[in-house]
């Protein structure tokens, strides 16, 4: 992966800070994703769930979706941290394999259009 260079703001890239901010934002990213899927969870409920405490009033499948989304984000951050990220089919499938677990008929592979 090539080093980033800021030509607009004159900022020095700080990978450690970027990773810290990304990890900090996982609850918000999960909240946005599950709400886009029609799961009405609040941000505090998502944060509680990600802390390992169950949240009453939600289906188990909804909670699993939130946990899968968090795991997918952590996997993506890990790939970037270890310089193993590439914009490729294999990486997309690995992320989908985590995010779509038990949510779709077959998670991980692309399915042909019918």
């Amino acid at each position: 992966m090539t080093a980033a260079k800021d030509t607009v703001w004159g900022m020095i890239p700080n990978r450690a800070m970027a990773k810290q901010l990304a990890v900090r934002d996982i609850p918000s990213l999960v909240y946005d994703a599950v709400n886009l899927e029609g799961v009405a969870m609040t941000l505090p409920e998502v944060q509680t769930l990600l802390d390992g405490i169950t949240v009453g009033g939600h289906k188990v499948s909804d909670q699993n979706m939130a946990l899968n989304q968090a795991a997918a984000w952590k996997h993506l951050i890990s790939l970037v941290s270890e310089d193993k990220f590439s914009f490729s089919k294999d990486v997309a499938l690995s992320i989908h394999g985590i995010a779509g677990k038990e949510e779709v008929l077959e998670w991980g592979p692309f399915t042909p259009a019918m």
Side-chain angles (χ1 to χ4, degrees):
M1 187 179 265
T2 61
K5 185 174 182 180
D6 179 12
T7 59
V8 178
W9 300 100
M11 296 173 64
I12 299 170
N14 185 335
R15 288 180 68 121
M17 176 73 73
K19 180 181 176 184
Q20 178 183 357
L21 293 173
V23 169
R24 184 193 70 184
D25 283 344
I26 287 176
S28 296
L29 296 166
V30 170
Y31 166 78
D32 290 341
V34 297
N35 277 278
L36 282 172
E37 291 291 330
V39 176
M41 293 181 97
T42 65
L43 182 57
E45 288 174 329
V46 169
Q47 289 171 321
T48 300
L49 185 61
L50 296 183
D51 287 339
I53 302 168
T54 58
V55 179
H58 292 282
K59 295 189 279 184
V60 172
S61 61
D62 293 346
Q63 291 186 12
N64 287 341
M65 179 188 295
L67 293 173
N68 290 347
Q69 286 293 322
W73 279 107
K74 289 175 185 175
H75 176 65
L76 177 61
I77 292 167
S78 172
L79 289 174
V80 172
S81 296
E82 298 168 7
D83 284 330
K84 294 181 180 177
F85 178 79
S86 65
F87 194 76
S88 66
K89 179 180 176 181
D90 290 337
V91 170
L93 292 178
S94 73
I95 294 169
H96 183 262
I98 297 167
K101 183 178 179 185
E102 299 176 359
E103 290 295 321
V104 294
L105 294 175
E106 192 175 357
W107 51 89
F110 285 125
T111 55
M114 300 209 149

